[in-house]
Amino acid sequence: MTTATAPVVRVGRLRHSWLPAWATQYLLWAGGLVLIVGPIIPVVWASLWSTPLYEAGGAPTLTNYQDLLSDPAWWEAVRNSLEFAVLTTIGSVVLGSAMAVLLTRTDLPGRRFFRGALLVPVIIPGLPLLLGWTAMYSPAGYVTRWIEEHTPLPVFWDIYSVPGMSLVSIGIAAPVVYLFARGALASQDSSLEMAARSAGATPLRTLRTVTLPLIRPALLNSSMIVFALSLEVLGLPLILGTSNDIQFVSTYLYDNWLNVVPSRQGLVSAGAVVLLATVTVLLLVRNRLTGDVARFHTVGGKSTSAATVKLGSARWPLFAATGAYFTAVIVIPLGGLLLTAFTTTLTPFIDPWSVLSTTHFETVVDDPVFSRSITNSLTIAIVGGALATLAIAALAIVAHRSAFRHRTSLQYVMVYPRAMPGLVTGMAFFWSFVILDPTGKLRASLWAIGIAFAVRSLALGYSAFYPQLAALGEDLDRAARTSGADWWTSVKTVLFKLLRPAMAVSFVLMFVAMLSDYDPAVFLVTPGTEVMGLTMLKLWVAGSAGPVAALGVIQVAITLLVLGLGRLLFGVRPGA
Amino acid sequence: MKTHKGIWAALFAATAMLALPACGVGAESGSDSATTTTKAGATTEPAKPIDLDAAIAASKEEGKLIVYGNPSADQWEPVLAAFHEAYPWIEVETFDLGGAEAFQRFLTEEGTGTNTADVIVNTDGAGWLDLISRGKVVDYVDPELADLPDFAVAAPGVFAMSVDPLIAIFNTKAVPEDEQPETLADLAAMSEDLDGKIGTVDVENGQVGLGTYGYTEERDDAWDVLDEIGPHTKVEDGSGALLSKLQSGEYVGAFMASGSIRALIDTTDTGKVLNYRYLTDATVLPTRGVGITTAAKSPNAARVFVNFLLSKDGQTAGCAGGFTPYRDDVECDQDLAAIEDIVGDGNALVVGYPEDLVTGLPEMRERWDEAFGR
């Protein structure tokens, strides 16, 4: 629905930026490198060094890689992780893009409601969401028991298996894919589809031959990011996979980092480097498959609003299918989460309605550390999320929309931090902060955790941003250049304004990710800078599911509030 | 993660020191091999208790005391309140950081010369021995040790703050109290019928690993029991998943669970469906060790703090925080004596950090993985 008439460059007031384009680009690039690549250096170093970083001495070595690659447990973990990542990627891309088409380009009944509801799994933090899923779908969960007792249907899922875990994961990843694809779909020029229609194509054929191919960058990009995230995910296999002895790459590295004395820092760092290499390959593949980005320019100087595809007789069956999916993946787990949060103890042996209480909320609010962690996380997510979104926008534009000679390097570094296990990232940031700021002031402040979280989540924000940037025709910024604007001015006046919806989505993802991130904080947290994700983890380790769920519910409420405010204040509507 | 023998062997060689098994598993006597290191400098004379009054006086000149510990903030609360009453000028900042993370973070901070912990409280015995072998733990004799059992010194410079038990937990709706086994051997005998419905925690967990090590060292039939129960048992990563599945009825019983769960069962509605018991043949109490780091910026305040934790007042306050005190002169419902009353004399197995742990623990883990089919 983009009508690209917004940027009116008023020639009379046109001002040049005080820095030449190459200087701005170098500054952005250098800043990005220091913050993003800086922390990768200690990891690469540790992987090639014979002793842990904190130990004096040592010598260069390849032993860490040899140890890693000759460990059968590593390969077993790689196999499980790959199976999980492939299943999750295929499932979430198919479901996510189908949802995007159904909910934005067709006359599906209730599409407005679905569009909002689909965001719910994205804003529930991982651990509480898992509690919701297990309360309902584990072998002793409410749904499983109900189906076994009241229906002849078989229980086909086992959430403690690799395919079962990917089912849970698809529920979380599909909405993310939806967000990426929706942006690309919404900005599509209907005249392309009209052309197909007037040449005699049916609506479905148009969808297949014009609409879907045009969102290929978005689909490839979301496949890549979902795949990379699936390789790194830790909480899911730790909570669901342990009882069946299923190791993922992430849990393998986690165990060698924490459960072996002395910690095998070199081996874990080698594993992290292998993950970085994998992500590099994924990015190369993405760029190769996307090919000439100009093919996907759908936003030109002139545009009309997108036309709606009439579903006809398929309308209600599709509505039923969508409704069933929403119930199974969103409503039921959310119910499980609410039950866990609002009952003193959730067990099938006691009627949940008889133990309803707000005890867990009181526990969380009354404890100074817990309530401080809420404020800290909120500060980090709002301030950090906003700054990071601006940084992503600037870096992505340099990476994809400039003549800067090192531009492609930026695409890679933005995704790298997410590919490393969180604990390793925390350690790496610790080292780079010690070097950058020997006084330790930075490390003792919330900024330290904020920067680490932001850099770690860059990949998510960038992935939301990139497809929409790819869809913007370059003639728009050229028009500004023709009118006399320099590079930075054209970026500011044209690209930033047209990319506001993309920035909104990017902010939401960054906000949510930073609100619930935890593992990099283990190394960086100091008394006073506790964050919610870490608090949840500590509570969970101690055995308390209730307060974890309560914190999760609080977090969802806060997120909804922030999204609502954003909508009121800035007209930013990520869900619509 | 099955074998890391090379590293272990190297570590063992590097840390070859005398182990003096006394009461309990590998607990060390407080007044033997220890040497004294005070602020005045290291001396090599045989163990003499430090001059507490001097430390108290010197502590007034020192800054904030930083503690990295595995107890949560609410467990610390009564202890810190009592400490504050006794020594109001020492400001203590406790930081909820347990397990290997605490040691790693300390080593990294120490390695980079940044501010770090004065005192560490941790139950990970292998981690402690590693830290000792790196020479990062101050070895000295606390005056309180004279009144304490031998196992109060878990390793050179590491003292027992508390000895917290591992327990069995049952779902009372599935296994009523009168049908519950009293020993792990009995539970093992029932395990075939309860296939897949028994849970435990992975021995990679520092506390559980240490406890299981003590159990296998002390009980001759330990491996027979574990071999019998292992194939029918599911293994969890920690208390969270274990407790959730016990509540949902997915597990009907669990063993070697952290004693800190007792508070949840005693004080919340969780007690309506779960109960806990001390199995008479497998009640192990891994030592929660406290030690002072060589990087301590407030070494005297640290000594005063550790002394308080070992004292009658400190242990009494610890009882209120849910810790398991072990002093004879402390009255506490859940202390060592109370547990011993339940399981019988000599059946409460306190596990310290013997030198053998360095090789023994990885061996035990490997053998355990075999028994549990992992």
Side-chain angles (χ1 to χ4, degrees):
Chain A
M1 273 143 296
T2 317
T3 41
T5 47
V8 179
V9 182
R10 289 187 208 113
V11 179
R13 283 178 49 198
L14 188 69
R15 268 186 297 162
H16 286 268
S17 53
W18 49 275
L19 272 178
W22 63 266
T24 319
Q25 290 162 0
Y26 257 105
L27 273 180
L28 285 168
W29 180 70
L33 283 199
V34 168
L35 279 179
I36 304 170
V37 180
I40 296 177
I41 294 170
V43 178
V44 177
W45 180 278
S47 78
L48 293 168
W49 205 251
S50 62
T51 54
L53 290 178
Y54 51 73
E55 224 172 86
T61 177
L62 284 175
T63 323
N64 293 323
Y65 290 91
Q66 282 161 5
D67 286 352
L68 181 76
L69 300 179
S70 62
D71 186 353
W74 159 257
W75 291 109
E76 166 82 29
V78 167
R79 219 178 35 241
N80 287 331
S81 270
L82 282 181
E83 184 187 344
F84 172 77
V86 168
L87 287 175
T88 303
T89 309
I90 294 176
S92 57
V93 170
V94 169
L95 271 172
S97 49
M99 288 290 162
V101 172
L102 267 180
L103 301 183
T104 60
R105 300 308 286 273
T106 70
D107 58 348
L108 188 79
R111 57 190 176 279
R112 243 173 193 293
F113 167 78
F114 286 138
R115 284 203 289 252
L118 197 56
L119 277 182
V120 171
V122 181
I123 64 175
I124 304 177
L127 186 53
L129 188 61
L130 278 182
L131 292 182
W133 275 86
T134 46
M136 293 306 192
Y137 292 113
S138 69
Y142 285 98
V143 171
T144 318
R145 279 186 186 223
W146 188 84
I147 288 183
E148 276 170 354
E149 280 164 25
H150 299 283
T151 70
L153 300 170
V155 174
F156 62 87
W157 63 84
D158 170 12
I159 59 168
Y160 304 143
S161 67
V162 175
M165 283 189 264
S166 54
L167 274 183
V168 179
S169 172
I170 288 169
I172 305 166
V176 177
V177 176
Y178 159 82
L179 277 178
F180 295 170
R182 191 208 54 173
L185 275 175
S187 66
Q188 231 166 55
D189 185 350
S190 294
S191 57
L192 297 167
E193 286 158 342
M194 297 298 184
R197 293 298 302 279
S198 43
T202 62
L204 275 180
R205 189 183 158 94
T206 313
L207 198 68
R208 196 162 49 81
T209 55
V210 178
T211 315
L212 283 178
L214 273 175
I215 59 169
R216 199 162 87 188
L219 294 188
L220 283 170
N221 194 56
S222 29
S223 310
M224 184 216 50
I225 192 74
V226 169
F227 197 89
L229 289 181
S230 312
L231 287 184
E232 190 263 345
V233 65
L234 176 67
L236 190 84
L238 216 49
I239 291 171
L240 298 181
T242 308
S243 63
N244 275 343
D245 197 20
I246 297 172
Q247 289 277 349
F248 280 13
V249 166
S250 52
T251 52
Y252 170 88
L253 295 178
Y254 175 85
D255 278 336
N256 277 291
W257 183 262
L258 285 186
N259 292 333
V260 177
V261 179
S263 161
R264 307 185 73 187
Q265 215 181 64
L267 177 110
V268 175
S269 304
V273 173
V274 170
L275 285 174
L276 289 182
T278 314
V279 169
T280 310
V281 172
L282 288 177
L283 277 163
L284 283 172
V285 170
R286 179 197 76 177
N287 289 351
R288 168 60 66 87
L289 289 179
T290 310
D292 178 9
V293 179
R295 288 165 60 201
F296 305 104
H297 288 168
T298 50
V299 181
K302 274 192 290 183
S303 189
T304 53
S305 71
T308 303
V309 177
K310 298 262 184 291
L311 291 172
S313 59
R315 227 175 144 224
W316 289 102
L318 279 173
F319 170 78
T322 316
Y325 172 81
F326 271 72
T327 311
V329 171
I330 296 169
V331 178
I332 290 179
L334 186 64
L337 172 64
L338 290 174
L339 272 180
T340 314
F342 282 101
T343 52
T344 51
T345 176
L346 186 63
T347 156
F349 304 103
I350 297 178
D351 176 14
W353 306 116
S354 72
V355 282
L356 282 185
S357 106
T358 52
T359 320
H360 298 317
F361 289 87
E362 283 152 26
T363 309
V364 171
V365 177
D366 288 347
D367 188 303
V369 177
F370 296 167
S371 47
R372 189 164 61 210
S373 74
I374 298 177
T375 346
N376 283 343
S377 283
L378 204 57
T379 315
I380 288 179
I382 293 181
V383 178
L387 292 178
T389 302
L390 287 178
I392 288 169
L395 291 176
I397 287 170
V398 173
H400 297 283
R401 273 307 174 66
S402 76
F404 181 57
R405 51 190 294 207
H406 306 298
R407 62 183 181 277
T408 41
S409 60
L410 280 176
Q411 301 176 22
Y412 296 89
V413 296
M414 273 191 276
V415 186
Y416 279 162
R418 192 70 207 200
M420 292 196 295
L423 280 169
V424 180
T425 315
M427 186 269 298
F429 266 100
F430 180 88
W431 280 93
S432 62
F433 286 150
V434 166
I435 293 162
L436 288 175
D437 170 38
T439 61
K441 284 224 175 69
L442 178 65
R443 263 187 322 114
S445 71
L446 263 190
W447 285 101
I449 296 179
I451 292 174
F453 281 9
V455 168
R456 205 167 114 79
S457 310
L458 277 185
L460 267 176
Y462 164 67
S463 305
F465 200 78
Y466 162 76
Q468 301 207 39
L469 185 62
L472 277 189
E474 274 165 30
D475 44 348
L476 293 169
D477 26 331
R478 285 211 198 96
R481 300 293 298 272
T482 314
S483 317
D486 59 13
W487 177 78
W488 182 240
T489 311
S490 75
V491 165
K492 258 192 331 198
T493 53
V494 179
L495 289 180
F496 270 16
K497 292 216 167 119
L498 282 177
L499 286 169
R500 266 189 29 201
M503 285 163 81
V505 174
S506 167
F507 174 76
V508 172
L509 289 174
M510 297 290 290
F511 176 84
V512 173
M514 291 173 77
L515 202 55
S516 39
D517 207 355
Y518 56 90
D519 29 0
V522 169
F523 248 83
L524 298 168
V525 69
T526 53
T529 63
E530 299 87 353
V531 288
M532 265 172 109
L534 214 53
T535 307
M536 285 188 207
L537 193 71
K538 296 240 143 95
L539 283 165
W540 173 250
V541 168
S544 320
V548 176
L551 266 174
V553 171
I554 293 176
Q555 183 168 337
V556 171
I558 290 175
T559 312
L560 287 176
L561 195 73
V562 169
L563 294 185
L565 279 179
R567 195 167 164 166
L568 275 180
L569 294 178
F570 306 109
V572 168
R573 300 172 58 187
Chain B
M1 296 142 304
K2 309 244 173 191
T3 54
H4 310 290
K5 277 201 166 154
I7 290 171
W8 284 107
L11 191 73
F12 183 58
T15 59
M17 281 185 271
L18 276 175
L20 297 165
C23 161
V25 184
E28 270 185 55
S29 162
S31 50
D32 283 297
S33 59
T35 51
T36 312
T37 313
T38 62
K39 205 174 180 222
T43 61
T44 46
E45 296 152 34
K48 233 199 245 168
I50 55 160
D51 181 353
L52 189 67
D53 291 332
I56 292 174
S59 73
K60 293 188 173 168
E61 312 298 317
E62 292 175 342
K64 181 163 74 176
L65 186 70
I66 303 174
V67 183
Y68 288 177
N70 55 4
S72 60
D74 53 323
Q75 280 181 290
W76 271 123
E77 203 183 297
V79 179
L80 294 182
F83 181 71
H84 184 74
E85 207 161 289
Y87 306 98
W89 62 89
I90 301 179
E91 190 194 339
V92 186
E93 192 170 77
T94 59
F95 190 31
D96 188 350
L97 196 64
E101 290 109 311
F103 292 124
Q104 270 186 44
R105 188 162 154 167
F106 165 76
L107 284 169
T108 305
E109 287 173 335
E110 199 257 354
T112 51
T114 52
N115 253 353
T116 187
D118 298 288
V119 173
I120 294 178
V121 175
N122 208 310
T123 312
D124 184 349
W128 271 120
L129 292 178
D130 178 57
L131 205 65
I132 292 169
S133 75
R134 293 173 189 274
K136 306 294 183 200
V137 180
V138 179
D139 186 10
Y140 69 102
V141 177
D142 187 279
E144 286 291 340
L145 290 177
D147 300 330
L148 293 177
D150 287 346
F151 65 73
V153 180
V158 185
F159 311 111
M161 172 177 168
S162 61
V163 286
D164 303 283
L166 296 180
I167 53 172
I169 304 176
F170 292 95
N171 186 313
T172 48
K173 308 282 171 177
V175 189
E177 254 176 88
D178 52 352
E179 290 171 28
Q180 290 172 3
E182 303 210 335
T183 64
L184 188 57
D186 288 346
L187 182 62
M190 298 161 70
S191 65
E192 204 167 341
D193 295 332
L194 297 175
D195 186 38
K197 293 185 170 171
I198 303 173
T200 191
V201 176
D202 201 325
V203 288
E204 290 191 334
N205 174 297
Q207 188 191 10
V208 177
L210 187 61
T212 308
Y213 175 79
Y215 169 64
T216 57
E217 287 289 295
E218 202 69 5
R219 300 282 183 213
D220 294 335
D221 65 342
W223 285 117
D224 294 335
V225 171
L226 292 177
D227 281 334
E228 187 179 1
I229 202 170
H232 308 293
T233 302
K234 298 255 182 184
V235 180
E236 295 296 344
D237 181 54
S239 299
L242 193 68
L243 210 55
S244 283
K245 290 186 184 178
L246 278 163
Q247 273 172 277
S248 74
E250 206 173 321
Y251 295 151
V252 298
F255 60 96
M256 296 287 175
S258 166
S260 62
I261 298 172
R262 288 174 300 172
L264 282 173
I265 294 175
D266 286 338
T267 60
T268 71
D269 276 353
T270 310
K272 287 182 180 169
V273 280
L274 303 185
N275 75 327
Y276 63 85
R277 54 174 63 232
Y278 303 103
L279 299 173
T280 52
D281 61 340
T283 292
V284 283
L285 300 95
T287 300
R288 192 194 300 261
V290 56
I292 299 174
T293 70
T294 50
K297 292 226 168 105
S298 307
N300 290 293
R303 281 163 176 76
V304 175
F305 184 66
V306 172
N307 176 267
F308 177 78
L309 292 181
L310 299 177
S311 71
K312 185 182 175 190
D313 288 350
Q315 294 272 306
T316 307
C319 178
F323 298 102
T324 311
Y326 57 88
R327 283 182 72 113
D328 291 338
D329 51 1
V330 169
E331 285 296 315
C332 179
D333 287 344
Q334 87 263 358
D335 68 359
L336 180 60
I339 295 172
E340 209 151 31
D341 279 347
I342 298 170
V343 295
D345 265 353
N347 277 340
L349 308 173
V350 173
V351 192
Y353 315 145
E355 286 302 320
D356 304 356
L357 199 62
V358 176
T359 48
L361 192 66
E363 278 166 19
M364 183 280 291
R365 282 181 175 181
E366 210 173 312
R367 178 71 182 80
W368 189 91
D369 279 342
E370 201 181 294
F372 286 73
R374 291 171 76 84

